[in-house]
Structures are given as C-alpha cells and as structure tokens.
Amino acid sequence: QAQVAESGGRLVQAGDSLRISCEVSGLTSSRYATGWFRQAPGKEREVVAAVGWGSVSSYYQDSVLGRFTVSRDKARNTVNLQMNDLKPEDTARYYCAVKESLLGSYYTSPGAYEYWGQGTQVTVSS
C-alpha cells in the first residue's frame, strides 16, 4: 500500500521562504507524477504545482509561478515544494498527491491522483 506523507509546514512571515516535503513509499514503480494542492478554509482545493515522473514537464498556478519550485530527490523518494516570497494568500493546508504513471505528463485534476497525504499547514502572517 502506497503512503504519502507531507512535512515542513509552519507559521512564517510574508516574504519568507519555506520548503515543504512529500515522502512517498510503497509504490511498485519509481515512475510517478506528483501534484501539490492546497486548500484554504472555505475554499476549494486547488492545484499549486504538478510534475511528471521525469520532472521534464511541469505546471505552476499563475499565482505561484516564479515563486514556487517543485524538485524531486530520487534517492530519498521525496518531492519538495520550495516556496519563496510567501504571501498571506498562500496560507492553506498543502497536500501532496501521487499517481503511478509511465508517461512523463503532469496532472492538474485532483481526480487523476491515486494517493494523497494528510497535508501540512502553511500559515503566512502579514
């Protein structure tokens, strides 16, 4: 059974940087696409960033483009989300999602993903 676990969320100030991580285990293959989603209170879950298994193709939501970067540490089976110049509107619970895929495509729809973590809270104070 695959397991996905996020970590690293905390309270930061506007303008700060923060890296949150997603540890993946139990998959039958190392070829998986990863999506980072977030959900703020009273709002729908939205995609923040997504990458294909080879990290060749990627997607970033317009509001985070140039500030957030997804990277993959294959040796540790971890996918990181580096967030720079954080803004109060980035406050949300961040979720990592994984889909086993031989293709290099990314996926932006929550329904495309097979495994989800419990999320990690990121709070940005003004």
Side-chain angles (χ1 to χ4, degrees), residues 27 31-34 97-101 107 112-115:
L27 290 178
R31 297 188 177 187
Y32 55 88
T34 306
V98 169
K99 172 183 174 61
E100 290 188 284
S101 174
Y107 303 88
Y113 290 90
E114 300 158 323
Y115 307 104

Side-chain angles (χ1 to χ4, degrees), residues 31-82:
R31 297 188 177 187
Y32 55 88
T34 306
W36 280 101
F37 295 78
R38 67 186 179 188
Q39 188 167 19
K43 295 187 177 181
E44 293 187 356
R45 188 170 298 189
E46 60 179 3
V47 62
V48 174
V51 294
W53 74 266
S55 300
V56 174
S57 62
S58 61
Y59 165 87
Y60 294 92
Q61 185 192 101
D62 285 348
S63 68
V64 308
L65 190 62
R67 298 190 298 123
F68 290 13
T69 304
V70 178
S71 63
R72 184 169 171 178
D73 185 337
K74 293 182 179 179
R76 298 177 178 174
N77 233 11
T78 299
V79 182
N80 301 310
L81 181 65
Q82 176 68 40

